[in-house]
Amino acid sequence: MTHVYNFSAGPAVLPREVLEQAAAEMLDWHGSGMSVMEMSHRGPEFISIYEDAVRNLRDLLGVPANYKILFLQGGGIGENAIVPLNLAGLSMAQPATVDFVRTGSWSTKSFQEAARYVQANLAAGPRAGEGYTSIPPQESWQLSKDAAYLHICTNETIDGVEFNFVPTVQGDTPIVADMSSHILSRRVDVSKYGVIFAGAQKNIGPAGLTIVIVREDLLGHALPICPSAFDWKIVADHDSMYNTPPTYGIYIAGLTFQWLQKQGGVAAMEQRNIEKARLLYDALDADDFYQNRVAPDCRSRMNIPFFLRDESLNDKFLAGAKARGLLQLKGHKSVGGMRASIYNAMPIEGVQALVDYLNEFAGR
Amino acid sequence: MTHVYNFSAGPAVLPREVLEQAAAEMLDWHGSGMSVMEMSHRGPEFISIYEDAVRNLRDLLGVPANYKILFLQGGGIGENAIVPLNLAGLSMAQPATVDFVRTGSWSTKSFQEAARYVQANLAAGPRAGEGYTSIPPQESWQLSKDAAYLHICTNETIDGVEFNFVPTVQGDTPIVADMSSHILSRRVDVSKYGVIFAGAQKNIGPAGLTIVIVREDLLGHALPICPSAFDWKIVADHDSMYNTPPTYGIYIAGLTFQWLQKQGGVAAMEQRNIEKARLLYDALDADDFYQNRVAPDCRSRMNIPFFLRDESLNDKFLAGAKARGLLQLKGHKSVGGMRASIYNAMPIEGVQALVDYLNEFAGR
């Protein structure tokens, strides 16, 4: 087996122990004679897998009792439509007004897609000619008086911009947070949000599973055009089994949740993630050979884009990295350069191997 | 390991060879050092998996060159909304009229969901007081003059009713066929259909992957309210990578396609499926101890519901079956009784074991 460290932004590295257990149980889960893939979603075997996954996620994130945890399909791009389709009915006025803060590519996509269903208000975004390198100060946000909700992306996978604070909103406007690429990497006060959603394929499991955590009073406000399969109220009323859920993805997610608990939970992971990120940013900041352009107070701990001062060396850098088993370091095509995603499942040894290579390549 | 035969309607039995290969490759696909679950969907490794799966499915079903094969999320219930959202624009009039033939629970669900987006016309359905036990003769269908399309479910998973013919339509009305529970179990002339869709979790792979085969001229007619992630034109233009597809499900589907080719392809599977179904129906028809109520000319080869004459024996029947490793034989809650799903991956030995038990339990 080739030994590699996989810095992909998603689908991404999973804990080795999770994959080992999945391989061992592939043909026969717990003496059932069935693979998890072959189980009816309504049978006792899968129901137990589902219930364990929900309970462990609730425990890991401290999800209050008045929030539902839903397992859906469609990913983040699906949710960009599914969220407004579910929440636009919160507003008396139609089309409803929704506030967006643009801090990178993902919040921008959410803003654009929502405009099909709601009056999308750009409450804050980058200054003209500036890339996504900071979060506009909250006092500059132009929030609407009667917004159905405020949408933010708390970690921008492509741009490497991460929220270190929960925004203050007027009245009881719910905050909807796309946490796809940093869920479970840091502690979060779920009660400050109305909805948290995340595609699984970064910090949780395989692509095709989307997790939605929603406060109960926000259920039941879907527009009539919302497809049943994506109506959170219907999904919640059927314990995520209104349509057949992505059962194998839920199983792998459940194994990841068990692994996280064995690691000491989210608080312990956060400490390790702080350490890993510091190690990498220190190497990037050591001199001007590399550059990360994000403001220090909102640098992501999960997705770290960087540029070589001399970009004509890009191909050589990537080839050398690959030769050392350091994979998927090419930046997203929309921004160029490099990017290292260092999710929960990336061990500090992997970050150290990357740092060693960064130093070597810079001739330090 | 417990030896079982799994008659679940879906998620359902998969070929043992597929599961063995998936287990063996779980931690290291082809020397890449990565699990398929960990691969970027845009990397060369996964692209090769995706392209093989598309090519093999095209080959197995004889999909003409002017049809696109899409890998989506959302399942059959998702497609019940996604189909009208994509095709309603084919009609000059809005709301568009769409014809439905109700032959069971699934076509009924499709009819009900579509009514959110189109004028849903019930072209044919069961007579009052009758269950779903036959397909209304085509001369009785009340087809609309200007339908955007005709929707049928060519195999009703719950009711065990299967089409043995392709309907004749007026002019160039496209036929949309939900083939979820019998795709790849019999030969099909794809060119007779405008759209074929199928959830993977019956004859193909894990739940969470939905396959759409669509004629190219039917792309680009989506309603403005169709979410981008489910707009077939957008998905086709991005080779099913507009959003992150369910990569692991595509990998398993690809292994199943390879397995089918080794078995001799769809024509060879169809012969085996005819043989398996005959074996089971013969046992059910031997006397009146058991009863299948579906008209002989539209009995499903895949999903075979049946009732015990004396329904007070149901629990005893199921307990005895389970003791012999014959699993998931309980009928769908909406119809009661029993159901045996005998998909491609169910070996004839499994059907024989069930037949032996049927005979034993009936005291034959």
Side-chain angles (χ1 to χ4, degrees), chain A residues 99-117:
Chain A
D99 286 335
F100 287 81
V101 177
R102 278 174 56 190
T103 53
S105 307
W106 279 97
S107 50
T108 298
K109 284 192 190 196
S110 300
F111 170 71
Q112 290 164 342
E113 180 83 0
R116 294 163 179 254
Y117 311 104

Side-chain angles (χ1 to χ4, degrees), chain A residues 99-227:
Chain A
D99 286 335
F100 287 81
V101 177
R102 278 174 56 190
T103 53
S105 307
W106 279 97
S107 50
T108 298
K109 284 192 190 196
S110 300
F111 170 71
Q112 290 164 342
E113 180 83 0
R116 294 163 179 254
Y117 311 104
V118 298
Q119 185 68 40
N121 171 50
L122 183 57
R127 274 173 288 202
E130 276 189 14
Y132 297 110
T133 54
S134 66
I135 295 172
Q138 230 207 294
E139 52 275 20
S140 71
W141 296 10
Q142 303 289 318
L143 297 174
S144 310
K145 259 189 310 198
D146 303 312
Y149 61 93
L150 164 67
H151 179 109
I152 58 174
C153 175
T154 47
N155 186 64
E156 291 280 359
T157 322
I158 291 175
D159 310 279
V161 173
E162 184 170 12
F163 273 76
N164 277 309
F165 64 96
V166 184
T168 307
V169 287
Q170 294 174 312
D172 55 0
T173 307
I175 302 174
V176 173
D178 176 356
M179 296 195 181
S180 292
S181 51
H182 75 160
I183 193 168
L184 292 165
S185 75
R186 59 188 300 152
R187 287 164 299 166
V188 56
D189 182 351
V190 175
S191 74
K192 295 274 198 282
Y193 299 89
V195 177
I196 291 169
F197 71 88
Q201 70 271 21
K202 290 146 195 311
N203 248 329
I204 294 177
L209 169 65
T210 312
I211 291 176
V212 174
I213 302 170
V214 51
R215 212 175 61 215
E216 287 174 347
D217 61 290
L218 301 177
L219 297 171
H221 302 281
L223 296 179
I225 55 168
C226 180

Side-chain angles (χ1 to χ4, degrees), chain A residues 4-151:
Chain A
V4 303
Y5 291 114
N6 174 8
F7 295 93
S8 172
V13 60
L14 290 170
R16 195 175 172 79
E17 295 88 333
V18 165
L19 295 173
E20 284 169 347
Q21 188 170 346
E25 295 178 344
M26 179 63 85
L27 279 91
D28 182 18
W29 183 84
H30 294 199
S32 66
M34 292 184 284
S35 173
V36 174
M37 271 185 239
E38 301 178 298
M39 291 176 182
S40 167
H41 53 302
R42 305 198 188 280
E45 297 89 354
F46 183 73
I47 295 286
S48 77
I49 289 170
Y50 159 80
E51 288 177 346
D52 280 355
V54 171
R55 187 172 50 246
N56 288 334
L57 179 56
R58 192 176 286 281
D59 182 51
L60 282 164
L61 282 180
V63 178
N66 63 327
Y67 284 69
K68 294 282 190 190
I69 294 175
L70 310 179
F71 294 137
L72 286 153
Q73 301 183 42
I77 292 186
E79 284 303 318
N80 284 345
I82 294 167
V83 170
L85 282 166
N86 272 278
L87 297 184
L90 285 168
S91 171
M92 299 294 285
Q94 289 299 326
T97 298
V98 175
D99 286 335
F100 287 81
V101 177
R102 278 174 56 190
T103 53
S105 307
W106 279 97
S107 50
T108 298
K109 284 192 190 196
S110 300
F111 170 71
Q112 290 164 342
E113 180 83 0
R116 294 163 179 254
Y117 311 104
V118 298
Q119 185 68 40
N121 171 50
L122 183 57
R127 274 173 288 202
E130 276 189 14
Y132 297 110
T133 54
S134 66
I135 295 172
Q138 230 207 294
E139 52 275 20
S140 71
W141 296 10
Q142 303 289 318
L143 297 174
S144 310
K145 259 189 310 198
D146 303 312
Y149 61 93
L150 164 67
H151 179 109

Side-chain angles (χ1 to χ4, degrees), chain B residues 83-351:
Chain B
V83 171
L85 283 166
N86 272 277
L87 297 185
L90 285 168
S91 171
M92 299 295 285
Q94 290 298 326
T97 298
V98 176
D99 286 334
F100 287 82
V101 177
R102 278 175 56 191
T103 52
S105 307
W106 278 97
S107 49
T108 298
K109 284 192 189 193
S110 300
F111 171 72
Q112 291 163 343
E113 179 83 1
R116 295 163 178 254
Y117 311 104
V118 297
Q119 185 69 38
N121 170 51
L122 183 57
R127 273 173 291 201
E130 279 188 13
Y132 297 110
T133 54
S134 67
I135 295 174
Q138 230 207 293
E139 54 275 21
S140 73
W141 296 9
Q142 303 288 317
L143 296 174
S144 310
K145 259 189 308 195
D146 304 312
Y149 61 93
L150 164 67
H151 179 109
I152 58 174
C153 175
T154 47
N155 186 64
E156 290 280 359
T157 322
I158 291 175
D159 310 278
V161 174
E162 183 169 12
F163 273 75
N164 277 308
F165 64 97
V166 184
T168 307
V169 287
Q170 294 175 312
D172 56 358
T173 307
I175 302 175
V176 173
D178 175 357
M179 296 195 182
S180 292
S181 51
H182 76 161
I183 193 168
L184 293 165
S185 74
R186 59 188 299 152
R187 287 163 299 167
V188 58
D189 182 351
V190 174
S191 74
K192 295 275 199 281
Y193 300 89
V195 176
I196 291 169
F197 71 87
Q201 70 270 19
K202 289 144 196 311
N203 248 330
I204 296 176
L209 169 64
T210 312
I211 290 177
V212 174
I213 302 170
V214 53
R215 212 174 62 214
E216 285 173 350
D217 62 289
L218 301 177
L219 298 171
H221 302 281
L223 297 178
I225 55 169
C226 180
S228 308
F230 305 116
D231 182 326
W232 295 337
K233 174 77 163 71
I234 295 176
V235 175
D237 286 348
H238 291 80
D239 290 324
S240 296
M241 312 247 178
Y242 178 69
N243 63 346
T244 313
T247 50
Y248 200 74
I250 292 170
Y251 160 69
I252 297 290
L255 295 182
T256 301
F257 300 154
Q258 291 171 16
W259 177 83
L260 284 169
Q261 284 172 321
K262 278 185 213 136
Q263 307 302 305
V266 171
M269 291 315 299
E270 181 171 14
Q271 280 312 307
R272 281 187 235 183
N273 287 326
I274 289 170
E275 200 181 332
K276 281 154 53 185
R278 185 183 297 138
L279 190 62
L280 184 46
Y281 281 114
D282 281 352
L284 295 172
D285 292 342
D287 55 37
D288 65 353
F289 193 90
Y290 305 104
Q291 189 185 31
N292 169 285
R293 298 172 184 166
V294 179
D297 66 344
C298 51
R299 281 175 158 185
S300 171
R301 295 174 187 157
M302 293 288 105
N303 308 101
I304 302 178
F306 60 95
F307 298 87
L308 275 62
R309 183 186 52 199
D310 178 359
E311 293 218 81
S312 71
L313 297 174
N314 281 1
D315 288 348
K316 189 178 168 200
F317 177 86
L318 288 167
K322 193 171 180 189
R324 284 162 182 76
L326 306 171
L327 303 185
Q328 312 269 7
L329 284 164
K330 192 169 178 180
H332 191 270
K333 60 185 175 187
S334 65
V335 294
M338 309 295 157
R339 174 174 51 171
S341 296
I342 52 173
Y343 296 120
N344 281 341
M346 173 62 67
I348 196 158
E349 293 77 12
V351 180

